[in-house]
Amino acid sequence: MTPETRSTPRSNTQRALDELRDLIFSGDLPAGSDHLEVELAQRLGMSRTPIREAMLTLEAQGLVEVRPRKGFRILSLSAEDMEEIYQILTELESLAAERAAARGLSEADLAILAQAIADMDDALSSEDRIAWAKADDRFHAELVRLGGNARVAAIVGMYNDQVRRARATTLYMRPLPHQSNADHRAVYAAILDGDQETARKTHAKHRTNASRLLTELLQRPGMKHL
Amino acid sequence: MTPETRSTPRSNTQRALDELRDLIFSGDLPAGSDHLEVELAQRLGMSRTPIREAMLTLEAQGLVEVRPRKGFRILSLSAEDMEEIYQILTELESLAAERAAARGLSEADLAILAQAIADMDDALSSEDRIAWAKADDRFHAELVRLGGNARVAAIVGMYNDQVRRARATTLYMRPLPHQSNADHRAVYAAILDGDQETARKTHAKHRTNASRLLTELLQRPGMKHL
DNA sequence: ATATTTGACAATGTATGCATTAATTGCGTA
DNA sequence: TACGCAATTAATGCATACATTGTCAAATAT
């Protein structure tokens, strides 16, 4: 845990990328706010160049918008954006579930998935929503990994980043997600069974429900953008 | 068609992005080749900075890989890569077809789609494969547009770019795509009918067939990478 | 008062130079 | 000959300076 255990001296561009992501996800750079190159450069203690380069990558990932004389705008997501993203997540994760089921994976292969489910159960009993959200993240990330399509995993990861803020906001607005855990177990079972169709459909239903819940919460007055 | 009709004097970074894309798609920068910053800078008549910035964007889009002292590598696609990409295209285009069917679109809304189909028919009768490929592109682009999810359209567009080289190569290796045209018409009819399930399944089958054909051709000896 | 033009300013786009560092080559030694 | 080490080289990472250009505001004309 020492501060300087890093062997590779990461480039400033890389640091800028990581730190800017953190600033965005933490809400330190709020959605909708604008930021000039010099401002961010000073803030991170480097020159404009690595900031620009990091911002280009973040733009390609859909997190910011470059507005030539107005600075970088941290993109906010409307309810419609959220629906678009959830459609994609539903679709691609369901594909991953189907493919995972098709691969004839053993219980050992599914250990991480099983662990994530167990962690979610624990988190639910202790009503620890943050721990639950983290385990849920792990479940979904591992699911797309098991799907065996690296590009699907990358896209899903990217969009999960984008909705992270929204999920954090709604985490305490929703009831405890008992149904989610049941869904996860059903998906797990279908994958282990090699039942592609069930894996896909079960997961699709799970995601569709989650999506509906989220968008309903987000459409409450005063929640316009995140 | 005058060379200087452009009102906005596009930035060099933008030009670099466009021209590098063209060089890649045209095969002028062959898949697998490495290129240094200075080389490309000289080639495009600008300094290293806009080249670097363009390359970062291209890297985020999966077209090149930045290899710190070895130059930028133009990524080649193996048969496995192609399968990954086609899985995604199948999935997201089928989603688009379903959503398009759900939107209650009128015949007028589907005019571009219908035109693309007609163009493909014409191209088939005259056995003009290039015209067919272009119309096919238009059909798929319009389909995802009609799906109403801009992010889906963006992803599909990106991956279509990536497989363009492969499709060009195989264009003359395959039989004339009569079945494709029948598929397209079926998808069109389902969308007009508002039959979501048929739209999705029909398009999925269409894409799966196309994918199988392509990957078989690509697995012929001597075709390793594209 | 409103619209328009001009001008100053400020932010970005781009080029360039320097420091850093990985790769490579050549040399010495076993 | 083969191996390892050191020096050289070359490419990039980053900072910085400068040119360009959009923006804003003040001033003028209608």
Side-chain angles (χ1 to χ4, degrees):
Chain A
M1 288 301 186
T2 51
E4 289 304 323
T5 315
R6 192 171 307 287
S7 54
T8 320
R10 273 183 322 166
S11 73
N12 275 358
T13 301
Q14 195 57 48
R15 270 190 33 226
L17 196 57
D18 294 345
E19 299 192 15
L20 289 172
R21 292 175 81 86
D22 285 349
L23 288 175
I24 293 172
F25 293 144
S26 71
D28 254 333
L29 301 181
S33 62
D34 291 324
H35 303 275
L36 299 177
E37 293 183 355
V38 278
E39 174 205 332
L40 297 176
Q42 288 188 338
R43 188 160 181 166
L44 300 194
M46 55 185 74
S47 82
R48 286 168 45 213
T49 308
I51 300 290
R52 276 180 71 85
E53 299 194 345
M55 280 312 204
L56 282 177
T57 300
L58 292 178
E59 182 185 36
Q61 294 177 354
L63 282 175
V64 306
E65 180 188 2
V66 178
R67 313 173 59 218
R69 307 247 151 192
K70 314 249 183 111
F72 307 108
R73 169 156 296 179
I74 312 302
L75 287 179
S76 62
L77 297 179
S78 66
E80 292 74 36
D81 291 320
M82 219 66 86
E83 278 187 67
E84 284 202 10
I85 293 174
Y86 266 80
Q87 268 189 10
I88 295 171
L89 289 175
T90 299
E91 200 67 25
L92 294 184
E93 286 187 7
S94 302
L95 169 66
E98 176 184 316
R99 301 307 308 156
R103 292 174 72 195
L105 298 170
S106 71
E107 220 165 318
D109 294 325
L110 302 184
I112 297 179
L113 214 55
Q115 184 62 52
I117 294 177
D119 290 348
M120 280 186 272
D121 284 339
D122 289 351
L124 269 194
S125 354
S126 54
E127 304 199 358
D128 181 343
R129 286 164 188 260
I130 292 180
W132 180 86
K134 284 187 182 167
D136 185 58
D137 257 4
R138 281 206 304 282
F139 178 89
H140 288 271
E142 176 66 4
L143 174 66
V144 292
R145 203 187 64 76
L146 291 173
N149 184 322
R151 287 171 174 82
V152 166
I155 299 173
V156 168
M158 196 177 90
Y159 284 119
N160 268 324
D161 277 353
Q162 294 194 23
V163 294
R164 185 146 302 153
R165 273 192 316 244
R167 278 219 296 271
T169 320
T170 53
L171 187 56
Y172 287 94
M173 300 169 60
R174 54 184 288 187
L176 280 172
H178 289 285
Q179 180 57 45
S180 265
N181 278 29
D183 291 345
H184 290 144
R185 267 191 295 274
V187 172
Y188 173 93
I191 292 175
L192 192 58
D193 266 12
D195 183 343
Q196 301 176 36
E197 190 176 329
T198 303
R200 167 186 281 269
K201 291 192 174 166
T202 308
H203 191 77
K205 198 175 298 174
H206 165 57
R207 265 303 200 189
T208 303
N209 287 339
S211 166
R212 178 167 30 236
L213 177 64
L214 186 73
T215 50
E216 277 169 9
L217 291 177
L218 290 179
Q219 275 163 355
R220 288 190 184 172
M223 297 247 51
K224 281 300 165 207
H225 290 299
L226 281 178
Chain B
M1 290 298 184
T2 50
E4 288 304 326
T5 316
R6 189 172 311 285
S7 55
T8 320
R10 274 184 319 165
S11 72
N12 276 357
T13 301
Q14 195 56 49
R15 271 190 34 227
L17 196 56
D18 294 346
E19 298 192 16
L20 289 172
R21 290 177 80 87
D22 285 347
L23 289 175
I24 292 173
F25 293 144
S26 71
D28 254 333
L29 299 182
S33 62
D34 292 323
H35 303 276
L36 298 178
E37 292 182 357
V38 278
E39 175 206 330
L40 297 175
Q42 289 188 338
R43 188 161 182 166
L44 301 194
M46 55 185 73
S47 80
R48 287 167 43 213
T49 308
I51 301 290
R52 277 180 69 87
E53 299 195 343
M55 280 310 203
L56 281 177
T57 300
L58 293 178
E59 182 186 35
Q61 294 177 355
L63 282 176
V64 307
E65 181 189 359
V66 178
R67 312 172 59 216
R69 306 243 149 196
K70 314 249 183 108
F72 307 108
R73 169 155 298 179
I74 312 301
L75 288 180
S76 62
L77 296 180
S78 66
E80 292 75 35
D81 292 319
M82 220 67 87
E83 279 187 66
E84 284 203 9
I85 292 175
Y86 266 80
Q87 269 189 10
I88 294 172
L89 289 175
T90 299
E91 200 66 25
L92 293 185
E93 286 188 7
S94 302
L95 170 64
E98 177 185 315
R99 302 305 308 155
R103 290 175 72 195
L105 298 170
S106 71
E107 221 165 318
D109 294 325
L110 301 185
I112 297 180
L113 213 55
Q115 184 61 51
I117 294 176
D119 290 348
M120 279 186 272
D121 283 340
D122 290 349
L124 268 194
S125 354
S126 54
E127 303 198 358
D128 182 344
R129 288 166 187 259
I130 291 179
W132 180 86
K134 283 188 184 166
D136 185 58
D137 258 4
R138 281 206 303 283
F139 178 89
H140 287 272
E142 176 66 5
L143 174 65
V144 293
R145 203 186 64 76
L146 292 173
N149 185 320
R151 287 171 175 84
V152 165
I155 298 173
V156 167
M158 196 179 91
Y159 283 119
N160 268 324
D161 277 352
Q162 294 195 23
V163 295
R164 186 146 299 152
R165 275 192 316 245
R167 278 219 294 270
T169 320
T170 54
L171 188 56
Y172 288 95
M173 299 168 62
R174 54 184 287 185
L176 279 172
H178 290 286
Q179 180 56 48
S180 266
N181 279 30
D183 292 344
H184 290 145
R185 267 191 297 273
V187 172
Y188 172 92
I191 291 175
L192 192 57
D193 266 12
D195 184 342
Q196 301 177 34
E197 189 175 331
T198 303
R200 167 187 280 271
K201 290 194 174 165
T202 308
H203 191 78
K205 198 176 296 175
H206 165 56
R207 264 305 199 186
T208 304
N209 287 338
S211 166
R212 180 167 28 238
L213 178 63
L214 186 74
T215 50
E216 276 169 9
L217 291 176
L218 290 178
Q219 275 164 357
R220 289 189 185 173
M223 296 246 55
K224 281 303 165 204
H225 290 299
L226 283 175

